[in-house]
Amino acid sequence: MHRWHSVMTAAALAAALTTTAAIAEDLTIGIAAPPTSIDPHFHNLGPNHQIAGHIFDALALKDEKQQIQPGLAVSWEVVDPTTWEFNLRKGVTFHDGSPFTAEDVAFTFERAPDVPNSPNPMSGYTKGIMELEIVDPHRIRIKTDGPYPMLINELSNVWVVSKKHGEGATTEDYMRGDAVIGTGPYKLVSFTPGDKIELERNDAYWGGVEPWENVTLRMIDSGPARVAALLAGDVDMIDDVPTSEIDRLRQDDNLDVWSGPSNRLVFVALDATEDALSTGMIRDHEGNVPSTNPLGDARVREALTRAIDKTVIAERVNQGHAIPINQIVPEGFVGYIPDYPLWTADPDAAKALLTEAGYPDGFQLTLVTSNDRITNAVKTVQAIAQMWTRIGVETEVETMPHSMFSPRRNGNELPVFFSSWGNLTGEASFFLGPLLHTKDKDKGLGGANRNRYSNPEVDSIVETVLNTLDIEERERLLQQAAQIVIEDYTLPTVVLQTVHWATRDGLRYSPRVDQYTFANHVRPVE
Amino acid sequence: MPKGVTKITAFIIRRLLQTVVVLIVMAFGVFVSVYAIGDPVDMLIDPAATEAQRLEAMRNLGLDRPLWEQFARFIAGAAQGDLGQSFVYKIPAIELILLRLPATIELTVAALILAVGIGIPAGILAGLYPSAWFSRTIMSVSILGFSLPSFWIALMLIMIFAVALGWLPSTGRGDVVTVFGVDWSFLTIDGLRHLVLPALSLSLIPMALMIRMARAGMREVWLTEYVKFARAKGLSPIRVIGLHAFPNTLIPIITVLGLELGSLLAGSIVTEVVFAWPGIGRLVIQSIGVLDRPVIVAYMLITVSLFILINLVVDLLYAVIDPRVGYGDARK
């Protein structure tokens, strides 16, 4: 009732104050993550990609399940193991009316990796391109150094800009909006850092014209404030709904909540190396530094893994807003093992394993996490600590801000930590390569391997996958490696986070695993 | 009065020199403490980045250098007005803050106007009629203003005025008008509507303070001989209050007002976050979250400078209000 009253008042006021006729066709979204730049190549950062996705297109686009779909390229084929040919979409125009051609693609791939001063460059996505050849205005060939199966996946992150407007344009030109000319569903109207982004529909969009004439993305970083803005009718939709508010919003007849799994896996990492003992975070049952690392024994790691009741963590700690998992990718991603059972917690079996490994009295651990990144991180580690203590592994909990946590974790000072990983490519290789391959600077692998895991078998599979173009073979290899690491128990996964949007009545949003909020995926319902 | 002018000039010069010393000590303290925390590279780059990319990013940000060298570079830059580039936005930190400062100033000034405009008359009223029912109400409200946490008040204001009644927008800054290259929202109706709730929420603590100070001052002054005399002479109450009593309560009020203006500028963080107000408070919170060190340091230095400047103005104002105040060396 109250809400309707407020909507009516707002509508009456809006009608009195503005002359815009089509108020019903506008969409305002309260977004949690503020972008740092609207130069689509400046800073490789989620919130920036989210804005760019409204204005620009890439050769391929990712659907809600993060699988590759045609974008500015209608099709592509691997001509020989090191050559890819892309057929570009014909009849596409930029926002200024100029036609989109292969020249724009070539220009984009030249500019993207080389934007001056970039805090996190896009070069990782274009590193596969050795040579680019324009065959005709709507056909390009890309040569790679060796077979490069992830090429299209990586290029789907590089937003195609107009050569005409982009040539010589600096990040400042983009920030002023002059150079922000794309082929995407919306045109940029204005960007006010820290406040809002205003967009206007592109009536010539190749993917069909959007139902929303004007879109405003308002940056509201505080969760309660986003909810209040939705309740007040100031915005039509919000993203990243605080988990504590989900049930309440669901009960509101005037609102709808849209939920789905994310690509973010929450896990515990165990350092099995002997060097881990010097941190003092692993102690024997009397609190002294033991002579060998108990985590070096696979039975001990299995015991710790089996002691964790993931259902309790998903249903109680996260109030049902998380999904129990023991695999390294969510369902639907390449590398997911279809028939693999979800273990149930078994404290008795865990205790037996500890006794078998020679730790009938258990030992002591310190489990560490950051308290400002993962939803319910503190409550989850407290629950895990209790579950471990129950099987005899007395566990202390230590939490700290992420900015303090990450250098200590990266410096291998935390042999038992709780963290998360968002899978950006939709393939298990994005988990195995950075997190579980042996740390290897020259090969560029294991960059995020913080528990010093090293298994030659896994290393060799990961390296083979890097050069395997055949998708079925890749899938088989990735599943094989996944099973090995799952049963090595050094990185037991706990839950998959879920992600939530809330809209006013009459709107529909298809939840995206990559957690992006795109106005062009919001649809009116009758 | 050439002697008085010289004294004031000497006072200002002395204060400015003290300011420079304070700023250098501050800069060192903030720099060392901020630079001792965490690793900004982690916050900026892709978690999947390779070791080579990490090292490259560290080099780009100058973080591969030893701390003393980073500090030396910072001080050398700061002396020329360059406080370094934001790691995230890659524009000068000072420019980034100046870009957001008008929004904060606007909010702070609006809050202060509300605090003074409502708080002082209410306080005077409560001081003149200490046992009337409305005075008791005013004092109870001022206790609430002090004791309720500001984020809670802010959310309650949103719930009442935006969600339940729908009179005012819940968050954001609304339409702005650009004057001299700076965006101001108080010049548009939509902007003013957006300004009301955050300004009111920010004004509650200083308003409570103003009420208490005006009341206490009034009660004290009202019983002094000269006020009694003025009343005995048969002057109208308005004249007694406005000309004789009130001006003599002003010294503590001005002092507190100066302090409050400073702490509001620096302390509007919670209000800005709750109302999604695009000011410096929200900027610094976001910067702390991603360890954007140059912005944090620049923010601290700018707010400290503002604080010192405001206090200087307050000290100078004393002389205007109270001719007995001089600017000699305190030690004499």
Side-chain angles (χ1 to χ4, degrees), chain A residues 138-176:
Chain A
H138 292 98
R139 203 139 49 104
I140 56 167
R141 278 182 178 213
I142 289 175
K143 286 240 180 251
T144 58
D145 186 15
Y148 201 86
M150 292 310 277
L151 184 70
I152 184 67
N153 202 313
E154 288 176 358
L155 292 183
S156 73
N157 297 298
V158 186
W159 306 100
V160 175
V161 297
S162 147
K163 184 182 183 186
K164 186 175 141 195
H165 294 274
E167 219 157 23
T170 59
T171 295
E172 286 72 41
D173 294 324
Y174 278 92
M175 284 304 261
R176 271 199 305 273

Side-chain angles (χ1 to χ4, degrees), chain A residues 15 26 72 143 152 214 224 267-268 347 356 378-379 412 418 423 500 513 520:
Chain A
D26 292 350
L72 284 177
K143 286 240 180 251
I152 184 67
N214 298 292
F267 60 83
V268 175
E356 199 187 312
V378 176
K379 281 196 273 176
N412 296 116
F418 176 81
N423 190 320
H500 312 268
V513 287
N520 50 319

